Amino acid sequence: MDAEVTIRDMMTREYVGVSESDSVLGAVQLMQTEGVGSVVVLRGREPVGIMTESDVVGLVADERDATETTVADAMTSPVVSMRADRSLADAAGVMAQQGIRRLVVTRDDEMVGLLTERDVISASASPSSITSSPEPEVSDAELVGTMETNGGDTEYEGQSICEVCGKLTRELANVNGQLVCTDCREY
C-alpha cells in the first residue's frame, strides 16, 4: 500500500526569522542576502506573522517609508500553520483555500519549518515524491553500478545511494529535493 507524502517530506527546515520591531528595510535586506521571498516574524520562538515580497510591494504602493515602518506594521498575521505529519495534499488544499503561498509547519506546537508553493510544485513534478513506496522507482541514472549474478539478474537492481550518507538502499524518499534513506531522515 502506498503511503501519502507528508508535509514533513517536502517542507524546508531552514527559514529566515525576524522580530516584529525590525524595520521593513532591514528585513528586506536580509531577504535579499538570504535569497528568500519571505521572513517569518517571531516573538521569541513563536511565529506571529509572515512578511512576504507582496507585503513589501503593498508598503511601497502606499508610499510608506521602509526605514520607519516596522515589520509588525507590514506583516500578514496570524500565520496559517499545519502539523508536519499532515498530508501534502491537505496542505495544498489549505493553501489554495486561504490564498497563501507559505504555510508554517509545526510539531508539538513548535515551528519546525516552512512549506512553500514551490515545495508543493516540486512534489507534484516528481513522481517519486507524490507517493512513497517500500521500493521507489529508480531511473537508470540513479542506479549504482550493477553486478551480474546467475541468470542475468542484478544484485543492486532497484537500489540507489542516499544523498546524505552515501548508503546503498532500496528505501529512499524525496526530502527537500534529495533522495534520503530512512536513517538520515530527520523528523
Side-chain angles (χ1 to χ4, degrees):
M1 177 190 305
D2 289 344
E4 278 188 296
V5 174
T6 64
I7 294 171
R8 175 187 318 108
D9 296 329
M10 297 308 297
M11 72 180 192
T12 303
R13 287 175 174 77
E14 295 180 15
Y15 56 89
V16 178
V18 296
S19 170
E20 295 169 279
S21 61
D22 290 342
S23 73
V24 169
L25 178 61
V28 168
Q29 290 170 334
L30 182 60
M31 289 166 64
Q32 183 171 7
T33 300
E34 295 296 325
V36 296
S38 66
V39 289
V40 178
V41 185
L42 301 168
R43 186 179 299 143
R45 296 180 71 175
E46 179 187 355
V48 294
I50 189 163
M51 189 179 81
T52 67
E53 293 165 331
S54 179
D55 294 322
V56 175
V57 168
L59 180 107
V60 171
D62 291 342
E63 298 180 4
R64 293 168 59 198
D65 184 355
T67 58
E68 298 295 322
T69 306
T70 64
V71 169
D73 293 329
M75 70 183 186
T76 300
S77 182
V79 294
V80 178
S81 66
M82 289 184 79
R83 292 186 330 267
D85 60 354
R86 296 281 303 270
S87 77
L88 191 61
D90 288 347
V94 167
M95 292 169 80
Q97 181 182 34
Q98 297 289 323
I100 59 175
R101 296 180 179 178
R102 293 158 186 90
L103 188 68
V104 169
V105 182
T106 61
R107 177 179 153 218
D108 300 327
D109 295 327
E110 185 175 318
M111 183 174 178
V112 293
L114 197 62
L115 183 73
T116 68
E117 69 180 351
R118 286 184 182 174
D119 298 328
V120 174
I121 291 168
S122 173
S124 67
S126 172
S128 64
S129 299
I130 296 170
T131 59
S132 301
S133 62
E135 293 187 10
E137 290 185 27
V138 179
S139 71
D140 292 340
E142 296 170 328
L143 286 175
V144 179
T146 59
M147 182 174 126
E148 293 295 323
T149 60
N150 292 339
D153 293 334
T154 56
E155 180 179 340
Y156 299 118
E157 188 173 312
Q159 295 186 26
S160 286
I161 295 177
C162 172
E163 293 180 350
V164 174
C165 71
K167 177 179 163 185
L168 183 65
T169 182
R170 283 184 165 75
E171 297 180 21
L172 294 175
N174 185 330
V175 176
N176 290 333
Q178 289 185 306
L179 293 176
V180 180
C181 71
T182 54
D183 296 334
C184 291
R185 286 182 214 145
E186 296 179 76
Y187 175 13

